Amino acid sequence: MVAQHQTALSVVGDEDSAKRRQILDGARAVFMNLGFDGASMGEIARAAGVSKGTLYVYFADKNGLFEAIVEQEVLEQGKAAFNFDLARDVETTLKDFGTAYIQLLCRPGGGSSTRTVMAIAERMPEVGQRFYNNVIALTINRFATYLDARVTAGDLAIDDCQLAASQFMMCCQASLFMPFIFQAAPAPSPAEIAGVVDSAMNMFLAAYRIKPT
Amino acid sequence: MVAQHQTALSVVGDEDSAKRRQILDGARAVFMNLGFDGASMGEIARAAGVSKGTLYVYFADKNGLFEAIVEQEVLEQGKAAFNFDLARDVETTLKDFGTAYIQLLCRPGGGSSTRTVMAIAERMPEVGQRFYNNVIALTINRFATYLDARVTAGDLAIDDCQLAASQFMMCCQASLFMPFIFQAAPAPSPAEIAGVVDSAMNMFLAAYRIKPT
Amino acid sequence: MVAQHQTALSVVGDEDSAKRRQILDGARAVFMNLGFDGASMGEIARAAGVSKGTLYVYFADKNGLFEAIVEQEVLEQGKAAFNFDLARDVETTLKDFGTAYIQLLCRPGGGSSTRTVMAIAERMPEVGQRFYNNVIALTINRFATYLDARVTAGDLAIDDCQLAASQFMMCCQASLFMPFIFQAAPAPSPAEIAGVVDSAMNMFLAAYRIKPT
Amino acid sequence: MVAQHQTALSVVGDEDSAKRRQILDGARAVFMNLGFDGASMGEIARAAGVSKGTLYVYFADKNGLFEAIVEQEVLEQGKAAFNFDLARDVETTLKDFGTAYIQLLCRPGGGSSTRTVMAIAERMPEVGQRFYNNVIALTINRFATYLDARVTAGDLAIDDCQLAASQFMMCCQASLFMPFIFQAAPAPSPAEIAGVVDSAMNMFLAAYRIKPT
DNA sequence: CATGAATGAGCATTCATTCAT
DNA sequence: TATGAATGAATGCTCATTCAT
């Protein structure tokens, strides 16, 4: 009832309007597949199933629509909940996290938000920054916090947890992310990811696990 | 007279024509700074100091010119000679290589070929592939060959040298490449690079150096 | 209930509907400030405090609305009652009339109906004609009628009263109207108007007053 | 030969290029007939017999093209040489000048630059100002200078020659300009002009000619 | 009757490409 | 070969108008 009422009152600017979502969905597909410049508002309108004019009812211009897409991506990926439960053993935690992270980064099916945002970062630096800070840096920070706790618990010996977090995440990308982003290889299979993450974990623990004397 | 004769015989496709080089130089600057779509043939012509028409004498179209630019970049970066002399100790080799690699990757001053090629890879997959294979994969292979030799020499214990090579290179990027490419940070300073590469080296050796028993 | 009944019976075309007036008021402001093409139906709707759709309930289209505005202006300016009382002396009558006429013509504060109608006259000749005939020509006629009476009374010697009326009115505009309409000068001050009207009156009387022998 | 050489060297920006003239001619026709907003660049291109793109080779944008048209009109009308030879008698001078002025102002055949510039003056005040100052005010000044000379010569008694000049010019417009600009009457015939100018002259001389004692 | 979301034709402008010289 | 004027298709965006509620 309340929901119905809200719907009845919904205005164009409504952040949650169905049309707005519809447009965002269509636009995301086009932007992620063709890049900012490659995407035309006409194509986006067609993909979203609305008229070109409607695009401009919901978004000020192409930039605004693109920023909204990235913002949505930021929100969605920021919500990605990695399991940093201290009760679990370190190996499992690293493996699960690494796997989930790579799957997020190398999402199959064309449209990679990472590539699309990287591509435009030179001309829209605030968009690039925002994406980095709220998606990548955020994940690094969360993981670093976990590592910190492990250090405190006496399981790991890490000087710079931020760097260590970043190192692990980059190691997990080894042989996977670059070929994927350059279109030199398809999205990695779960098996490939598992192998690489496993190796990254071993490397990480070899360097940072406190060795029993 | 001789020169004239040569000119008369010279073919447009002449890979080494001075005009061709001149165009490539201008085009590289524009493409790398503005991206494929951001660059206009007019701007390129101005940057190269030739007329727009001349561009089409040497290159079939914008795509062709861009591909030639990437090809040139590939050639140039492929020439980047890293010092994998087995006579040097492992630490120095890793440190020098890591440093040189990051400096190549995070070249300051805007025009990053890595970003430019990444950006277009979805729409021009062959270009992305070619760049990856002949620049990044090539470097991985050379480094892997070095590691192989070290394994044979009994200095390192590595199962998959390709993966290990990639791991070290990714580790060296930790906290540097992503912020740079997303415009969330300027090109890293030599000191920053040194610190990160040092840490990567330690990690790598902790994992792969044969421990004295 | 009664009100509802009236509403139910009320016709859209109702010339005196309050909504209609409200729209006309908003539209006049926008049209007169921005011109026919510069005015958008959205802006008009906002200025009138109604929805865009409502505009089309009361008026067929933008042209129709504009015509109604001009018609209203015509009606209003046609009502402008100049004091042509024969009991007053000629000097006072001319001075008062000239002043009032210039003030009407050079209304300060942007929105000049004269300019707006002039501007569109080439594309909407009937609108221009209607405005001229019912505002300007009407005033000329009324003034000419006055002059006629003065001629009959033996105060003035005028051959063509229509022309004389027009001459006086144009003389009053001297140095005022053209700079104003071309935006080369702000709306004239009362003092400026007084000076110019005074001079016009002198000129007029020098030409048309019967000289005492 | 010299001319040919110049043609060979002619560049796009050349103020006298034939294409530029061609565009200006087409654009003038369209702008003057439809007004600034009514004219579309497509229509202008068609009228000029060039492609839409070519318009932008010679002019920065629609505003720039319009301003160039007005500027050209200003130059042309500024060149209008009225005969203010002091050797001629005053009556002839006034009559000739008045006639020429009205013919300029009420040029038959649709496109009136006066109307077109008036129409846009609210939104492009500099254009309106420039037109007024360099066409209308210029003519007033020239005529005022003539009147001054006549005053000095003892033929006329005028206090404010600028105002008097303006008065005469406005008087000549009586019953002609307003109906013309509002499309309530076609361009006046020479006979009509002659009659009105004659009457204006009489009025002017009645007011300002020094009467023999 | 009143609304405002939706439309699609139309606009100014850009730019890769062609071609006569 | 080199030029640069010319093109026209395509783009982002606006706005008068419609229509379901």
Side-chain angles (χ1 to χ4, degrees):
Chain A
M1 188 95 161
V2 168
Q4 274 186 13
H5 195 61
Q6 282 188 346
T7 300
L9 286 179
S10 83
V11 276
V12 157
D14 193 342
E15 290 280 312
D16 289 332
S17 128
K19 258 281 150 41
R20 199 186 141 94
R21 266 181 194 290
Q22 185 182 338
I23 292 172
L24 285 172
D25 287 348
R28 176 163 47 194
V30 179
F31 272 132
M32 296 309 173
N33 276 323
L34 303 177
F36 181 79
D37 293 295
S40 83
M41 292 301 266
E43 188 106 359
I44 290 171
R46 205 173 323 121
V50 302
S51 76
K52 242 192 301 182
T54 304
L55 260 30
Y56 290 88
V57 172
Y58 290 86
F59 300 93
D61 52 18
K62 195 183 178 183
N63 273 38
L65 178 50
F66 182 70
E67 279 162 24
I69 299 290
V70 175
E71 199 56 24
Q72 187 192 236
E73 205 75 11
V74 161
L75 251 47
E76 229 163 75
Q77 299 207 13
K79 271 188 279 185
F82 302 109
N83 188 345
F84 291 132
D85 187 347
L86 287 168
R88 306 201 308 165
D89 64 61
V90 177
E91 283 87 346
T92 308
T93 303
L94 291 181
K95 231 186 279 191
D96 282 6
F97 167 62
T99 303
Y101 173 65
I102 295 305
Q103 272 166 348
L104 199 68
L105 211 59
C106 305
R107 232 183 328 183
S112 157
S113 60
T114 308
R115 181 197 292 119
T116 308
V117 177
M118 275 180 174
I120 208 67
E122 190 126 41
R123 269 154 62 204
M124 301 173 60
E126 339 75 46
V127 174
Q129 263 172 58
R130 199 161 165 67
F131 188 86
Y132 177 77
N133 290 331
N134 291 288
V135 172
I136 314 218
L138 183 73
T139 305
I140 293 177
N141 285 335
R142 286 174 178 166
F143 182 40
T145 303
Y146 166 76
L147 294 179
D148 233 356
R150 279 295 176 201
V151 169
T152 304
D155 300 324
L156 300 174
I158 302 175
D159 193 42
D160 183 341
C161 282
Q162 288 273 338
L163 179 59
S166 185
Q167 283 171 328
F168 177 69
M169 287 162 67
M170 294 306 283
C171 265
C172 288
Q173 292 176 28
S175 81
L176 301 178
F177 178 69
M178 287 281 195
F180 168 74
I181 211 88
F182 279 107
Q183 296 272 88
S189 69
E192 286 171 320
I193 296 177
V196 173
V197 168
D198 209 59
S199 182
M201 183 195 67
N202 287 332
M203 199 176 188
F204 185 81
L205 292 179
Y208 293 123
R209 169 123 67 178
I210 289 174
K211 286 106 200 161
T213 43
Chain B
M1 189 91 165
V2 168
Q4 274 186 15
H5 196 63
Q6 281 189 348
T7 299
L9 285 180
S10 80
V11 192
V12 157
D14 191 347
E15 291 280 312
D16 289 333
S17 135
K19 262 272 153 53
R20 199 184 140 92
R21 269 183 193 289
Q22 186 181 339
I23 292 173
L24 286 172
D25 287 347
R28 175 165 49 194
V30 179
F31 273 131
M32 296 310 172
N33 276 321
L34 304 177
F36 180 79
D37 293 294
S40 81
M41 293 300 267
E43 190 109 358
I44 290 170
R46 205 173 322 124
V50 301
S51 76
K52 251 194 292 183
T54 304
L55 261 31
Y56 289 87
V57 172
Y58 290 86
F59 301 93
D61 52 18
K62 195 183 178 183
N63 274 37
L65 178 51
F66 182 70
E67 280 161 23
I69 298 293
V70 176
E71 199 56 26
Q72 187 192 238
E73 203 75 11
V74 161
L75 252 47
E76 227 162 78
Q77 297 207 14
K79 273 187 277 181
F82 301 108
N83 188 346
F84 291 132
D85 187 347
L86 288 167
R88 304 201 309 166
D89 63 63
V90 177
E91 282 89 346
T92 307
T93 303
L94 291 181
K95 229 186 281 191
D96 281 5
F97 167 60
T99 302
Y101 173 63
I102 295 306
Q103 271 165 350
L104 199 68
L105 211 60
C106 304
R107 232 183 323 184
S112 156
S113 60
T114 308
R115 181 197 288 120
T116 308
V117 178
M118 274 181 173
I120 208 68
E122 191 123 42
R123 268 154 66 204
M124 300 174 60
E126 340 74 46
V127 174
Q129 262 171 62
R130 201 161 163 67
F131 187 86
Y132 177 77
N133 290 331
N134 292 287
V135 173
I136 313 212
L138 183 73
T139 305
I140 293 177
N141 285 336
R142 286 175 177 166
F143 183 40
T145 303
Y146 166 77
L147 293 179
D148 232 357
R150 280 292 176 204
V151 169
T152 304
D155 299 323
L156 300 174
I158 303 174
D159 192 41
D160 183 341
C161 281
Q162 288 273 339
L163 179 59
S166 185
Q167 283 172 330
F168 176 69
M169 286 161 67
M170 295 306 283
C171 263
C172 287
Q173 292 177 28
S175 82
L176 300 178
F177 178 67
M178 288 278 196
F180 169 74
I181 210 90
F182 279 108
Q183 296 272 88
S189 69
E192 287 170 320
I193 296 177
V196 173
V197 167
D198 210 59
S199 183
M201 184 195 65
N202 288 333
M203 199 175 188
F204 186 81
L205 292 180
Y208 293 123
R209 170 124 67 179
I210 291 174
K211 285 108 203 159
T213 43
Chain C
M1 190 89 164
V2 167
Q4 274 185 13
H5 195 63
Q6 282 188 345
T7 299
L9 285 180
S10 80
V11 190
V12 157
D14 190 346
E15 290 281 313
D16 288 333
S17 136
K19 263 268 152 56
R20 199 184 138 93
R21 269 182 191 288
Q22 186 181 339
I23 292 173
L24 285 172
D25 286 348
R28 175 165 49 194
V30 178
F31 272 132
M32 296 308 171
N33 276 321
L34 304 178
F36 181 79
D37 294 294
S40 83
M41 293 299 266
E43 189 110 357
I44 290 170
R46 205 175 320 123
V50 302
S51 77
K52 250 194 292 183
T54 305
L55 260 30
Y56 288 87
V57 172
Y58 289 86
F59 301 93
D61 52 18
K62 195 183 178 183
N63 274 36
L65 177 50
F66 182 70
E67 280 160 23
I69 297 293
V70 175
E71 200 55 26
Q72 188 193 235
E73 203 76 9
V74 161
L75 252 46
E76 227 162 78
Q77 298 207 14
K79 273 188 276 185
F82 301 110
N83 188 345
F84 291 133
D85 188 345
L86 287 168
R88 305 200 309 164
D89 64 62
V90 176
E91 283 89 345
T92 308
T93 303
L94 291 182
K95 232 186 278 190
D96 281 6
F97 167 61
T99 303
Y101 173 65
I102 296 305
Q103 272 165 348
L104 199 67
L105 212 60
C106 305
R107 231 182 326 185
S112 158
S113 59
T114 308
R115 182 197 287 119
T116 309
V117 178
M118 274 181 174
I120 209 68
E122 190 123 42
R123 268 152 69 203
M124 302 173 60
E126 339 73 47
V127 174
Q129 260 172 62
R130 207 167 155 63
F131 186 86
Y132 178 77
N133 290 331
N134 291 286
V135 172
I136 314 217
L138 183 72
T139 304
I140 293 176
N141 285 335
R142 285 175 178 166
F143 182 40
T145 302
Y146 166 77
L147 293 179
D148 232 357
R150 279 294 175 201
V151 169
T152 304
D155 299 324
L156 300 174
I158 303 175
D159 192 41
D160 182 341
C161 282
Q162 288 275 338
L163 179 59
S166 185
Q167 283 173 328
F168 178 69
M169 287 160 68
M170 294 306 282
C171 264
C172 287
Q173 292 177 27
S175 82
L176 300 178
F177 178 68
M178 287 279 195
F180 169 74
I181 211 89
F182 279 108
Q183 296 272 89
S189 69
E192 287 171 320
I193 295 177
V196 173
V197 168
D198 209 59
S199 182
M201 184 195 67
N202 288 332
M203 198 175 190
F204 186 82
L205 292 180
Y208 293 123
R209 170 123 67 178
I210 288 175
K211 285 108 202 160
T213 44
Chain D
M1 188 102 164
V2 168
Q4 273 185 15
H5 195 63
Q6 282 188 346
T7 300
L9 287 179
S10 83
V11 277
V12 157
D14 194 340
E15 290 280 313
D16 289 332
S17 126
K19 260 272 149 47
R20 198 185 141 95
R21 265 181 196 290
Q22 185 182 339
I23 292 173
L24 284 172
D25 287 348
R28 176 164 47 195
V30 179
F31 272 132
M32 295 309 174
N33 277 322
L34 303 177
F36 181 79
D37 293 295
S40 83
M41 291 301 266
E43 189 105 0
I44 289 171
R46 205 173 322 121
V50 300
S51 77
K52 245 194 298 183
T54 304
L55 260 30
Y56 290 89
V57 172
Y58 289 85
F59 301 93
D61 52 19
K62 195 184 177 181
N63 273 39
L65 178 51
F66 182 70
E67 279 161 25
I69 299 289
V70 175
E71 199 56 24
Q72 187 191 238
E73 206 75 12
V74 160
L75 252 47
E76 229 162 77
Q77 300 207 13
K79 271 187 278 183
F82 301 109
N83 188 346
F84 291 133
D85 187 347
L86 287 168
R88 305 202 308 167
D89 64 61
V90 177
E91 282 88 346
T92 308
T93 303
L94 291 182
K95 228 185 282 192
D96 281 6
F97 168 61
T99 303
Y101 173 64
I102 296 305
Q103 271 165 348
L104 199 66
L105 211 60
C106 305
R107 233 184 325 185
S112 157
S113 59
T114 309
R115 181 197 289 120
T116 308
V117 177
M118 275 181 173
I120 208 67
E122 190 125 41
R123 270 153 62 204
M124 301 174 60
E126 340 73 47
V127 174
Q129 264 172 58
R130 197 160 167 67
F131 187 86
Y132 177 77
N133 290 330
N134 291 287
V135 173
I136 312 216
L138 184 73
T139 305
I140 293 176
N141 284 335
R142 287 174 177 167
F143 183 39
T145 302
Y146 167 77
L147 293 179
D148 233 356
R150 280 292 175 204
V151 169
T152 304
D155 300 323
L156 300 175
I158 302 175
D159 193 39
D160 183 341
C161 283
Q162 288 274 338
L163 179 59
S166 185
Q167 284 172 328
F168 177 70
M169 287 161 69
M170 294 306 283
C171 264
C172 288
Q173 292 176 27
S175 82
L176 301 179
F177 178 69
M178 287 280 194
F180 169 74
I181 211 92
F182 278 108
Q183 296 272 88
S189 69
E192 286 171 320
I193 296 177
V196 173
V197 168
D198 209 59
S199 182
M201 183 195 66
N202 288 332
M203 197 174 189
F204 185 80
L205 292 179
Y208 292 122
R209 169 122 68 177
I210 289 174
K211 284 107 201 160
T213 43

